[in-house]
Amino acid sequence: MATYSCLLSVTLSFLVLFSSCSAQISQVTSRGRQQSTQTQCNIQNLNTLEPQQRIESEAGHTDLWDQNSEDLQCANVAVIRHTIQNRGLLVPSYINYPQMMYVLQGEGLHGASIPGCPETFQYSQQQSQSQSQSRSRSRSQDRGDEHQKVRRIREGDVIALPTGIAHWIYNNGQSNLVVVSLHDIGNADNQLDQLFRKFFLGGSPQQEFQGQSRQQGRQQGQQGQEQSGGNVFSGFNQDLLAEALNIDRELVNKLQRNDRQRGVIVRVQDEFQVVAPHRREQQEREEQEQEQEKWHQPGGGSNGLEETLCTLSLKHNINKPSLADVFNPRAGRSTSINAYVLPILENLQLSINKVVLYKNAIYAPHWNPKSHSIMYIIRGSGRIQIVSQRGDAVFDDNVKEGQVVVVPQGFAVVQKAGNSGLEWISFKTHPLAKISQLAGRRSFLTSTPVDVLANAFGVSREDARRLKNGRREITLFSPLQSSSEY
C-alpha cells in the first residue's frame, strides 16, 4: 500500500510538472513567437499609427511609435525611426530580440559585432605606418586597427540583426540617413518581458529608450521607479571597471559621462576612419554572396556559429525592379526578401515585402496565413481596408507617407493607390511569409469550383463564373477605366 501511495504521489507530481511545462510551451507559437496575456489581439478597430515621441540628439533625432497601442501590442513589435545627419554616428547598441531595418533614404556605413566571429577587416602595422609617417604615434596606435566587417548601406537596403548583436550606423553621405526599424519583441529569443528595451554601449541615452512601453512599464512609472538614462558602462563601479578594462579612472569617467545634449546620435568631429573595401569591391563581393545564398535552403543542417552568422550576409537591397517577384506594367511590382533570399532571416524568423503600386492600382485582397504584417508607408497615398473574422471592417482609412498600419494574422486586407501612387514595406513575422489571395489568378476564387461558389453565396452559376473569372491578373490589379482615386 505504501509503495502504491508513493507511486501515485510521483505520478501526480509528474502530471503537475508536465501540465506546467505544457502551459509554458503553449505560449510559444510554431514560428517561435511568445504569446502572453498582455498581447492578446482583441481588436475592434485598427488605426493609422504615427510617431508619438521625438527624441533629439546632437546629430539627429529618433521617432518612437507608441508601444502601448493595441495594434502594436497585438503584433508584439516595436517601431522606431532614426534620422542621422551628415557625420552623425548612431552609437553602438543591442537589444534582447531580433530586429530588421530598412534604409528609407541616404547612405552610410553599418557595423555589427558578432560574438565569436573574427576581426577580418584590419590594417597591418606596416600599412598603418606608411599611411601616416608624418604623425607621431603611440605604441598602441602603431598596431593599426582591426574590427569585424563594415557594410556600406544605401536607400532600399534591408538589414537583419540577430538577437543581442551590437551594431552602429554612420552617415558619410551628403543628406540625412533615415532608417526605420522593426523590433520583434514577441520573438522566442526574448526571455525577459514585453517591454521595449535598448542597451546602449556609448553616448548618453535618454530615459525614453529604457522601456516604459507596456502596461507593466506604466505601472512601474506610477510607482515612481526612475531610470538613470546612462549607457551600459555607466552603472559599473569605477575601480572595478578600470581594472577590468586595464584603463585609468580618468578614462572611466569619460565612458560613464552622461552628456544629455549628445544623446545617442553623436557628431563626429575628426576624420572618421574604418577599414572598409572600395565601393566596387564591396559590390562584387555582395553579388557573389547573393549568388551563393540562392542555393541555401532554410531548415538544412548547419555547422555552428561560424556558418550561420559569421559568414552570412546581413543585408540585401530590395529596390531593384529586376528582382521583383510580381510585375504588372499597368499596376506596379512586389518584391519579397525571405529566408530563401537572405538566409539569416531564418535565424530571425522575419521577412519583408516591398510593394510599389502605380496610380489607382490595387493590391489583391488577401490574408497573411502565418504572420502579422506591419506596413510602413514610404511614399504616396492610398486607401486600405482590413476585415476581421467577424466580417467587420476594423480599418478603412486613407494612408500617407510615414504612417504605420498593423494587419494582424488572418485578417483580410486590400490596398488601393491614390493618384500619386502608393509605396510601402511590410515587415512580416515569419521567415517564409506568404499571402493567400481572395481574388485574381491563383486565388481562393479561381481555385474553387463554380458550384461551391454559387451555393456558398446564393448566386447563379453564371454569376459564380463571373465572380471567379473577373480578375485574371496575379496580385497586382491594374485600374479599371471607371476607376477613381478612392
Side-chain angles (χ1 to χ4, degrees), residues 426-476:
S426 291
F427 296 103
K428 305 290 185 83
T429 56
H430 192 281
L432 296 172
K434 298 180 179 179
I435 65 168
S436 187
Q437 294 182 201
L438 286 165
R441 288 175 59 188
R442 302 177 184 174
S443 71
F444 155 74
L445 290 178
T446 58
S447 62
T448 303
V450 168
D451 273 21
V452 172
L453 296 177
N455 285 277
F457 294 110
V459 298
S460 66
R461 285 192 177 92
E462 182 180 351
D463 286 339
R465 289 191 184 94
R466 289 208 307 269
L467 177 65
K468 180 172 182 173
N469 300 312
R471 282 283 191 179
R472 302 303 297 172
E473 297 164 302
I474 299 177
T475 309
L476 305 174

Short mmCIF file of all heavy atoms in Angstrom, two decimals, residues 426-476:
data_model
loop_
_atom_site.label_atom_id
_atom_site.label_comp_id
_atom_site.label_asym_id
_atom_site.label_seq_id
_atom_site.Cartn_x
_atom_site.Cartn_y
_atom_site.Cartn_z
N SER A 426 6.32 45.96 -45.89
CA SER A 426 5.60 45.19 -44.88
C SER A 426 6.59 44.28 -44.17
O SER A 426 7.15 43.36 -44.79
CB SER A 426 4.48 44.35 -45.50
OG SER A 426 3.44 45.16 -45.99
N PHE A 427 6.85 44.54 -42.89
CA PHE A 427 7.63 43.62 -42.08
C PHE A 427 6.72 42.45 -41.72
O PHE A 427 5.61 42.64 -41.23
CB PHE A 427 8.12 44.30 -40.80
CG PHE A 427 9.07 45.45 -41.04
CD1 PHE A 427 8.64 46.75 -40.93
CD2 PHE A 427 10.40 45.21 -41.35
CE1 PHE A 427 9.50 47.82 -41.12
CE2 PHE A 427 11.28 46.27 -41.56
CZ PHE A 427 10.83 47.57 -41.44
N LYS A 428 7.20 41.22 -41.93
CA LYS A 428 6.39 40.03 -41.67
C LYS A 428 7.04 39.20 -40.56
O LYS A 428 8.27 39.02 -40.55
CB LYS A 428 6.27 39.17 -42.94
CG LYS A 428 5.72 39.88 -44.18
CD LYS A 428 4.25 40.21 -44.03
CE LYS A 428 3.67 40.82 -45.31
NZ LYS A 428 3.29 39.80 -46.30
N THR A 429 6.22 38.68 -39.64
CA THR A 429 6.74 37.94 -38.50
C THR A 429 6.84 36.45 -38.79
O THR A 429 6.44 35.60 -37.97
CB THR A 429 5.86 38.19 -37.26
OG1 THR A 429 4.51 37.85 -37.58
CG2 THR A 429 5.93 39.64 -36.82
N HIS A 430 7.40 36.12 -39.94
CA HIS A 430 7.67 34.74 -40.33
C HIS A 430 8.75 34.76 -41.39
O HIS A 430 8.74 35.64 -42.27
CB HIS A 430 6.40 34.07 -40.86
CG HIS A 430 6.52 32.58 -41.01
ND1 HIS A 430 7.18 31.99 -42.07
CD2 HIS A 430 6.08 31.55 -40.22
CE1 HIS A 430 7.13 30.67 -41.94
NE2 HIS A 430 6.47 30.38 -40.82
N PRO A 431 9.71 33.83 -41.36
CA PRO A 431 10.82 33.88 -42.32
C PRO A 431 10.44 33.55 -43.75
O PRO A 431 11.16 33.90 -44.69
CB PRO A 431 11.81 32.85 -41.77
CG PRO A 431 10.97 31.88 -41.02
CD PRO A 431 9.87 32.71 -40.40
N LEU A 432 9.31 32.85 -43.92
CA LEU A 432 8.84 32.49 -45.27
C LEU A 432 7.38 32.91 -45.42
O LEU A 432 6.53 32.12 -45.84
CB LEU A 432 9.00 30.99 -45.52
CG LEU A 432 10.44 30.45 -45.51
CD1 LEU A 432 10.45 28.93 -45.58
CD2 LEU A 432 11.24 31.03 -46.68
N ALA A 433 7.11 34.14 -45.07
CA ALA A 433 5.73 34.64 -45.09
C ALA A 433 5.16 34.61 -46.51
O ALA A 433 5.85 34.95 -47.48
CB ALA A 433 5.68 36.05 -44.53
N LYS A 434 3.91 34.24 -46.61
CA LYS A 434 3.20 34.23 -47.88
C LYS A 434 1.85 34.91 -47.69
O LYS A 434 1.41 35.16 -46.58
CB LYS A 434 2.99 32.80 -48.38
CG LYS A 434 4.29 32.04 -48.66
CD LYS A 434 3.98 30.63 -49.16
CE LYS A 434 5.27 29.87 -49.46
NZ LYS A 434 4.99 28.48 -49.92
N ILE A 435 1.19 35.19 -48.82
CA ILE A 435 -0.17 35.70 -48.75
C ILE A 435 -1.09 34.70 -49.44
O ILE A 435 -0.67 33.91 -50.29
CB ILE A 435 -0.31 37.08 -49.42
CG1 ILE A 435 -0.05 36.99 -50.93
CG2 ILE A 435 0.60 38.10 -48.77
CD1 ILE A 435 -0.44 38.25 -51.70
N SER A 436 -2.34 34.72 -49.02
CA SER A 436 -3.37 33.91 -49.67
C SER A 436 -4.41 34.88 -50.24
O SER A 436 -5.06 35.61 -49.49
CB SER A 436 -4.01 32.96 -48.67
OG SER A 436 -4.90 32.07 -49.31
N GLN A 437 -4.53 34.90 -51.56
CA GLN A 437 -5.38 35.90 -52.22
C GLN A 437 -6.85 35.51 -52.22
O GLN A 437 -7.22 34.34 -52.33
CB GLN A 437 -4.91 36.10 -53.67
CG GLN A 437 -3.53 36.72 -53.78
CD GLN A 437 -3.12 36.94 -55.22
OE1 GLN A 437 -1.95 37.07 -55.52
NE2 GLN A 437 -4.08 37.02 -56.14
N LEU A 438 -7.69 36.53 -52.14
CA LEU A 438 -9.13 36.34 -52.25
C LEU A 438 -9.60 36.50 -53.68
O LEU A 438 -10.70 36.07 -54.03
CB LEU A 438 -9.86 37.37 -51.37
CG LEU A 438 -9.81 37.12 -49.86
CD1 LEU A 438 -10.24 38.37 -49.12
CD2 LEU A 438 -10.72 35.94 -49.50
N ALA A 439 -8.80 37.15 -54.51
CA ALA A 439 -9.20 37.41 -55.90
C ALA A 439 -7.97 37.35 -56.79
O ALA A 439 -6.84 37.44 -56.33
CB ALA A 439 -9.87 38.79 -56.01
N GLY A 440 -8.23 37.22 -58.12
CA GLY A 440 -7.14 37.14 -59.08
C GLY A 440 -6.72 35.70 -59.34
O GLY A 440 -7.22 34.75 -58.72
N ARG A 441 -5.80 35.54 -60.26
CA ARG A 441 -5.29 34.20 -60.56
C ARG A 441 -4.60 33.62 -59.33
O ARG A 441 -4.01 34.33 -58.53
CB ARG A 441 -4.31 34.26 -61.73
CG ARG A 441 -4.97 34.53 -63.08
CD ARG A 441 -3.95 34.71 -64.17
NE ARG A 441 -3.09 33.54 -64.31
CZ ARG A 441 -2.01 33.52 -65.10
NH1 ARG A 441 -1.65 34.60 -65.77
NH2 ARG A 441 -1.28 32.42 -65.19
N ARG A 442 -4.69 32.30 -59.17
CA ARG A 442 -4.10 31.58 -58.04
C ARG A 442 -4.69 32.05 -56.71
O ARG A 442 -4.01 32.10 -55.69
CB ARG A 442 -2.59 31.72 -58.03
CG ARG A 442 -1.91 31.23 -59.30
CD ARG A 442 -0.42 31.46 -59.25
NE ARG A 442 0.21 31.08 -60.51
CZ ARG A 442 1.50 31.28 -60.79
NH1 ARG A 442 2.28 31.85 -59.89
NH2 ARG A 442 2.00 30.92 -61.95
N SER A 443 -5.97 32.37 -56.73
CA SER A 443 -6.62 32.85 -55.52
C SER A 443 -7.67 31.84 -55.05
O SER A 443 -7.94 30.82 -55.70
CB SER A 443 -7.30 34.20 -55.78
OG SER A 443 -8.43 34.03 -56.62
N PHE A 444 -8.29 32.15 -53.91
CA PHE A 444 -9.38 31.33 -53.40
C PHE A 444 -10.49 31.18 -54.42
O PHE A 444 -11.03 30.09 -54.63
CB PHE A 444 -9.92 31.97 -52.11
CG PHE A 444 -11.34 31.62 -51.80
CD1 PHE A 444 -11.68 30.37 -51.33
CD2 PHE A 444 -12.36 32.56 -52.01
CE1 PHE A 444 -13.00 30.04 -51.06
CE2 PHE A 444 -13.67 32.25 -51.74
CZ PHE A 444 -14.00 30.98 -51.27
N LEU A 445 -10.85 32.27 -55.10
CA LEU A 445 -11.96 32.22 -56.04
C LEU A 445 -11.64 31.34 -57.24
O LEU A 445 -12.46 30.50 -57.66
CB LEU A 445 -12.32 33.63 -56.52
CG LEU A 445 -12.98 34.55 -55.49
CD1 LEU A 445 -13.23 35.93 -56.08
CD2 LEU A 445 -14.30 33.94 -54.99
N THR A 446 -10.46 31.52 -57.83
CA THR A 446 -10.14 30.76 -59.05
C THR A 446 -9.89 29.28 -58.77
O THR A 446 -10.02 28.46 -59.67
CB THR A 446 -8.90 31.36 -59.75
OG1 THR A 446 -7.79 31.33 -58.85
CG2 THR A 446 -9.16 32.78 -60.19
N SER A 447 -9.53 28.94 -57.53
CA SER A 447 -9.24 27.53 -57.22
C SER A 447 -10.46 26.79 -56.67
O SER A 447 -10.35 25.61 -56.34
CB SER A 447 -8.09 27.46 -56.20
OG SER A 447 -8.45 28.09 -54.98
N THR A 448 -11.60 27.46 -56.57
CA THR A 448 -12.79 26.85 -56.00
C THR A 448 -13.80 26.54 -57.11
O THR A 448 -14.02 27.36 -58.01
CB THR A 448 -13.44 27.81 -54.97
OG1 THR A 448 -12.47 28.12 -53.96
CG2 THR A 448 -14.67 27.18 -54.32
N PRO A 449 -14.43 25.36 -57.09
CA PRO A 449 -15.41 25.01 -58.14
C PRO A 449 -16.57 26.00 -58.19
O PRO A 449 -16.97 26.59 -57.18
CB PRO A 449 -15.90 23.62 -57.70
CG PRO A 449 -14.80 23.07 -56.87
CD PRO A 449 -14.20 24.24 -56.16
N VAL A 450 -17.11 26.18 -59.40
CA VAL A 450 -18.18 27.13 -59.62
C VAL A 450 -19.39 26.82 -58.75
O VAL A 450 -20.00 27.72 -58.16
CB VAL A 450 -18.59 27.15 -61.12
CG1 VAL A 450 -19.90 27.91 -61.32
CG2 VAL A 450 -17.49 27.76 -61.97
N ASP A 451 -19.76 25.54 -58.65
CA ASP A 451 -20.95 25.19 -57.88
C ASP A 451 -20.76 25.48 -56.38
O ASP A 451 -21.74 25.81 -55.68
CB ASP A 451 -21.30 23.71 -58.08
CG ASP A 451 -22.18 23.51 -59.31
OD1 ASP A 451 -22.16 24.40 -60.18
OD2 ASP A 451 -22.88 22.48 -59.38
N VAL A 452 -19.54 25.35 -55.89
CA VAL A 452 -19.28 25.69 -54.49
C VAL A 452 -19.51 27.19 -54.27
O VAL A 452 -20.15 27.61 -53.31
CB VAL A 452 -17.84 25.31 -54.08
CG1 VAL A 452 -17.52 25.84 -52.68
CG2 VAL A 452 -17.67 23.80 -54.12
N LEU A 453 -19.02 28.01 -55.19
CA LEU A 453 -19.20 29.45 -55.07
C LEU A 453 -20.67 29.83 -55.20
O LEU A 453 -21.18 30.68 -54.45
CB LEU A 453 -18.38 30.17 -56.15
CG LEU A 453 -16.86 30.03 -56.07
CD1 LEU A 453 -16.20 30.74 -57.26
CD2 LEU A 453 -16.34 30.60 -54.76
N ALA A 454 -21.35 29.20 -56.16
CA ALA A 454 -22.75 29.53 -56.38
C ALA A 454 -23.59 29.25 -55.14
O ALA A 454 -24.44 30.06 -54.74
CB ALA A 454 -23.29 28.74 -57.58
N ASN A 455 -23.35 28.12 -54.50
CA ASN A 455 -24.14 27.77 -53.33
C ASN A 455 -23.67 28.52 -52.08
O ASN A 455 -24.49 28.85 -51.21
CB ASN A 455 -24.06 26.25 -53.08
CG ASN A 455 -24.92 25.46 -54.07
OD1 ASN A 455 -26.11 25.31 -53.88
ND2 ASN A 455 -24.28 24.99 -55.14
N ALA A 456 -22.38 28.78 -51.97
CA ALA A 456 -21.86 29.48 -50.80
C ALA A 456 -22.40 30.91 -50.74
O ALA A 456 -22.70 31.42 -49.65
CB ALA A 456 -20.34 29.50 -50.83
N PHE A 457 -22.54 31.55 -51.91
CA PHE A 457 -23.00 32.94 -51.93
C PHE A 457 -24.47 33.07 -52.35
O PHE A 457 -25.00 34.19 -52.38
CB PHE A 457 -22.13 33.77 -52.88
CG PHE A 457 -20.70 33.90 -52.43
CD1 PHE A 457 -19.68 33.25 -53.10
CD2 PHE A 457 -20.38 34.66 -51.32
CE1 PHE A 457 -18.36 33.37 -52.68
CE2 PHE A 457 -19.07 34.79 -50.89
CZ PHE A 457 -18.05 34.13 -51.57
N GLY A 458 -25.11 31.96 -52.69
CA GLY A 458 -26.51 32.01 -53.09
C GLY A 458 -26.72 32.74 -54.39
O GLY A 458 -27.66 33.56 -54.51
N VAL A 459 -25.84 32.49 -55.40
CA VAL A 459 -25.94 33.14 -56.71
C VAL A 459 -26.04 32.06 -57.78
O VAL A 459 -25.85 30.88 -57.53
CB VAL A 459 -24.72 34.05 -56.97
CG1 VAL A 459 -24.66 35.16 -55.93
CG2 VAL A 459 -23.43 33.25 -56.98
N SER A 460 -26.35 32.50 -59.00
CA SER A 460 -26.45 31.55 -60.11
C SER A 460 -25.06 31.10 -60.55
O SER A 460 -24.04 31.72 -60.20
CB SER A 460 -27.16 32.23 -61.30
OG SER A 460 -26.36 33.29 -61.81
N ARG A 461 -25.02 30.02 -61.33
CA ARG A 461 -23.73 29.54 -61.86
C ARG A 461 -23.08 30.60 -62.74
O ARG A 461 -21.87 30.78 -62.74
CB ARG A 461 -23.93 28.25 -62.66
CG ARG A 461 -24.19 27.02 -61.82
CD ARG A 461 -24.09 25.76 -62.68
NE ARG A 461 -24.25 24.55 -61.89
CZ ARG A 461 -25.40 23.94 -61.69
NH1 ARG A 461 -26.52 24.44 -62.21
NH2 ARG A 461 -25.45 22.82 -60.96
N GLU A 462 -23.90 31.32 -63.50
CA GLU A 462 -23.36 32.36 -64.37
C GLU A 462 -22.69 33.47 -63.54
O GLU A 462 -21.60 33.92 -63.86
CB GLU A 462 -24.47 32.95 -65.24
CG GLU A 462 -23.97 34.02 -66.21
CD GLU A 462 -25.10 34.59 -67.07
OE1 GLU A 462 -26.21 34.02 -67.03
OE2 GLU A 462 -24.84 35.60 -67.76
N ASP A 463 -23.37 33.88 -62.47
CA ASP A 463 -22.77 34.89 -61.59
C ASP A 463 -21.51 34.36 -60.92
O ASP A 463 -20.52 35.09 -60.74
CB ASP A 463 -23.77 35.32 -60.52
CG ASP A 463 -24.86 36.21 -61.08
OD1 ASP A 463 -24.64 36.80 -62.16
OD2 ASP A 463 -25.93 36.32 -60.44
N ALA A 464 -21.54 33.09 -60.56
CA ALA A 464 -20.37 32.49 -59.92
C ALA A 464 -19.18 32.46 -60.87
O ALA A 464 -18.03 32.69 -60.47
CB ALA A 464 -20.69 31.08 -59.44
N ARG A 465 -19.44 32.19 -62.15
CA ARG A 465 -18.34 32.20 -63.14
C ARG A 465 -17.77 33.61 -63.31
O ARG A 465 -16.56 33.79 -63.44
CB ARG A 465 -18.85 31.67 -64.48
CG ARG A 465 -19.13 30.18 -64.49
CD ARG A 465 -19.36 29.67 -65.92
NE ARG A 465 -19.72 28.25 -65.91
CZ ARG A 465 -20.95 27.79 -65.89
NH1 ARG A 465 -21.99 28.66 -65.89
NH2 ARG A 465 -21.19 26.49 -65.88
N ARG A 466 -18.67 34.61 -63.33
CA ARG A 466 -18.18 35.99 -63.44
C ARG A 466 -17.35 36.36 -62.21
O ARG A 466 -16.33 37.04 -62.32
CB ARG A 466 -19.36 36.96 -63.59
CG ARG A 466 -20.06 36.87 -64.94
CD ARG A 466 -20.70 38.20 -65.32
NE ARG A 466 -21.58 38.70 -64.26
CZ ARG A 466 -22.90 38.42 -64.19
NH1 ARG A 466 -23.45 37.64 -65.10
NH2 ARG A 466 -23.64 38.92 -63.22
N LEU A 467 -17.82 35.92 -61.05
CA LEU A 467 -17.07 36.18 -59.82
C LEU A 467 -15.70 35.52 -59.88
O LEU A 467 -14.69 36.12 -59.50
CB LEU A 467 -17.87 35.66 -58.63
CG LEU A 467 -17.22 35.78 -57.25
CD1 LEU A 467 -17.05 37.24 -56.87
CD2 LEU A 467 -18.08 35.05 -56.20
N LYS A 468 -15.68 34.30 -60.36
CA LYS A 468 -14.43 33.53 -60.40
C LYS A 468 -13.44 34.08 -61.40
O LYS A 468 -12.23 34.09 -61.16
CB LYS A 468 -14.75 32.07 -60.73
CG LYS A 468 -13.54 31.17 -60.79
CD LYS A 468 -13.94 29.71 -60.92
CE LYS A 468 -12.72 28.81 -60.92
NZ LYS A 468 -13.08 27.39 -60.88
N ASN A 469 -13.91 34.58 -62.51
CA ASN A 469 -13.02 34.99 -63.60
C ASN A 469 -12.97 36.51 -63.80
O ASN A 469 -12.46 36.98 -64.82
CB ASN A 469 -13.46 34.33 -64.91
CG ASN A 469 -13.42 32.80 -64.82
OD1 ASN A 469 -12.43 32.24 -64.38
ND2 ASN A 469 -14.51 32.16 -65.23
N GLY A 470 -13.46 37.26 -62.85
CA GLY A 470 -13.49 38.71 -63.01
C GLY A 470 -12.11 39.35 -63.10
O GLY A 470 -11.91 40.33 -63.82
N ARG A 471 -11.14 38.81 -62.38
CA ARG A 471 -9.76 39.30 -62.41
C ARG A 471 -8.83 38.13 -62.73
O ARG A 471 -8.80 37.13 -62.01
CB ARG A 471 -9.35 39.90 -61.05
CG ARG A 471 -9.88 41.29 -60.80
CD ARG A 471 -9.08 42.33 -61.57
NE ARG A 471 -9.43 43.69 -61.11
CZ ARG A 471 -8.87 44.79 -61.58
NH1 ARG A 471 -7.95 44.71 -62.53
NH2 ARG A 471 -9.23 45.97 -61.12
N ARG A 472 -8.06 38.28 -63.80
CA ARG A 472 -7.12 37.22 -64.18
C ARG A 472 -5.68 37.63 -63.94
O ARG A 472 -4.75 36.89 -64.25
CB ARG A 472 -7.31 36.86 -65.66
CG ARG A 472 -8.71 36.39 -66.02
CD ARG A 472 -9.11 35.19 -65.19
NE ARG A 472 -8.27 34.03 -65.44
CZ ARG A 472 -8.32 32.90 -64.73
NH1 ARG A 472 -9.15 32.81 -63.71
NH2 ARG A 472 -7.52 31.90 -65.02
N GLU A 473 -5.45 38.82 -63.35
CA GLU A 473 -4.10 39.25 -63.03
C GLU A 473 -3.65 38.60 -61.73
O GLU A 473 -4.47 38.12 -60.94
CB GLU A 473 -4.04 40.77 -62.91
CG GLU A 473 -4.39 41.49 -64.21
CD GLU A 473 -4.70 42.96 -63.98
OE1 GLU A 473 -5.62 43.24 -63.19
OE2 GLU A 473 -4.03 43.82 -64.58
N ILE A 474 -2.34 38.58 -61.49
CA ILE A 474 -1.78 37.98 -60.29
C ILE A 474 -1.36 39.08 -59.32
O ILE A 474 -0.46 39.88 -59.63
CB ILE A 474 -0.57 37.09 -60.61
CG1 ILE A 474 -0.99 35.94 -61.53
CG2 ILE A 474 0.06 36.55 -59.34
CD1 ILE A 474 0.16 35.04 -61.94
N THR A 475 -2.01 39.16 -58.18
CA THR A 475 -1.62 40.01 -57.04
C THR A 475 -1.80 41.50 -57.28
O THR A 475 -2.38 42.21 -56.46
CB THR A 475 -0.16 39.74 -56.61
OG1 THR A 475 0.03 38.32 -56.43
CG2 THR A 475 0.17 40.46 -55.32
N LEU A 476 -1.28 42.01 -58.38
CA LEU A 476 -1.34 43.44 -58.67
C LEU A 476 -2.36 43.70 -59.77
O LEU A 476 -2.21 43.23 -60.90
CB LEU A 476 0.04 43.96 -59.09
CG LEU A 476 1.18 43.68 -58.10
CD1 LEU A 476 2.51 44.11 -58.71
CD2 LEU A 476 0.94 44.40 -56.79
#
